[in-house]
Amino acid sequence: MATTMTTTTTGVRAPLALIGTGALALTAVELLNPGYDPLSETLSRYVHGTAGLLLPAGLLAVAAASAVLAARLRGAGRTAVGLWAAGILVAGLFPADPPGHHHRPSLSELVHGNAAFLAFAALPAAALLLRRTLTAARPRLRTALNALTVVSLLGTAALAVLLADVMDGGPSLGLLGAPTLLGLVERLVLAADFGWVAVALLATATGGRGRRA
């Protein structure tokens, strides 16, 4: 079944502001915790650091913006965006464990990890399903949508490999003791995914010069 799109509102300022708020919150918690290694440590661990509540607050803001986007869509694309939003929401509500607990996770860690994995898998799927629909609605956004889709796909694949390595006793992948880049790759994927949601929101807008799909 082809994925079609409908808009329920002409405004995008509120959901875009939520995306920006979420990105700023995650950036702030990163800057406030210089003791963490951004190359190897995932952002979810920062919930136990200084101003850790900024992390779930930022994720919930992005989940809300993503829910707005899902409401504007139809078909399989809507389902995929909905799964992304739900995964981000649950990951924000259930905190990850502190660093060093990969092999003895708590229930909250298990829920957080599975929800985050669902979200990371669902977003690139949504980007692929909606690529033609969104670019048809806003041709000028084609390059941005395609670029963000590629980064999300490749980044998510790399993230899965690095996560498997860490859970299996890494983190080196056997590369001469080189440290894992799990944290760096996660940040790149989050940036691409947040960016895609923002651009997709713009593509579904009907105000101004936007086209109704």
Side-chain angles (χ1 to χ4, degrees):
M1 180 181 294
T3 299
T4 58
M5 179 171 59
T6 182
T7 52
T8 59
T9 177
T10 60
V12 294
R13 293 182 180 179
L16 285 178
L18 287 170
I19 292 287
T21 298
L24 285 174
L26 268 58
T27 301
V29 77
E30 179 108 60
L31 295 175
L32 291 170
N33 291 278
Y36 287 79
D37 183 1
L39 295 180
S40 62
E41 201 63 71
T42 59
L43 268 171
S44 58
R45 309 295 175 187
Y46 284 53
V47 71
H48 299 283
T50 302
L53 288 178
L54 286 174
L55 178 67
L59 293 178
L60 294 180
V62 174
S66 301
V68 173
L69 175 61
R72 297 182 175 194
L73 304 169
R74 290 290 183 267
R78 180 179 189 175
T79 300
V81 173
L83 288 173
W84 151 264
I88 291 294
L89 174 66
V90 174
L93 293 176
F94 289 83
D97 288 343
H101 288 243
H102 296 294
H103 303 294
R104 49 184 187 281
S106 67
L107 177 60
S108 180
E109 165 73 16
L110 290 172
V111 173
H112 173 92
N114 284 301
F117 184 82
L118 171 66
F120 283 130
L123 196 285
L128 288 174
L129 289 168
L130 294 166
R131 185 175 62 86
R132 291 184 179 180
T133 303
L134 294 177
T135 55
R138 283 290 183 91
R140 292 184 178 181
L141 298 177
R142 180 189 303 272
T143 299
L145 286 166
N146 288 341
L148 290 168
T149 298
V150 169
V151 174
S152 180
L153 279 168
L154 296 179
T156 299
L159 188 64
V161 172
L162 291 170
L163 280 170
D165 177 59
V166 170
M167 296 301 294
D168 193 43
S172 70
L173 289 176
L175 301 178
L176 301 177
T180 183
L181 297 179
L182 177 62
L184 176 61
V185 173
E186 182 207 42
R187 285 159 176 77
L188 291 174
V189 173
L190 284 172
D193 291 353
F194 288 10
W196 184 88
V197 173
V199 176
L201 282 164
L202 290 172
T204 61
T206 57
R209 299 181 181 181
R211 293 173 51 194
R212 184 179 296 274

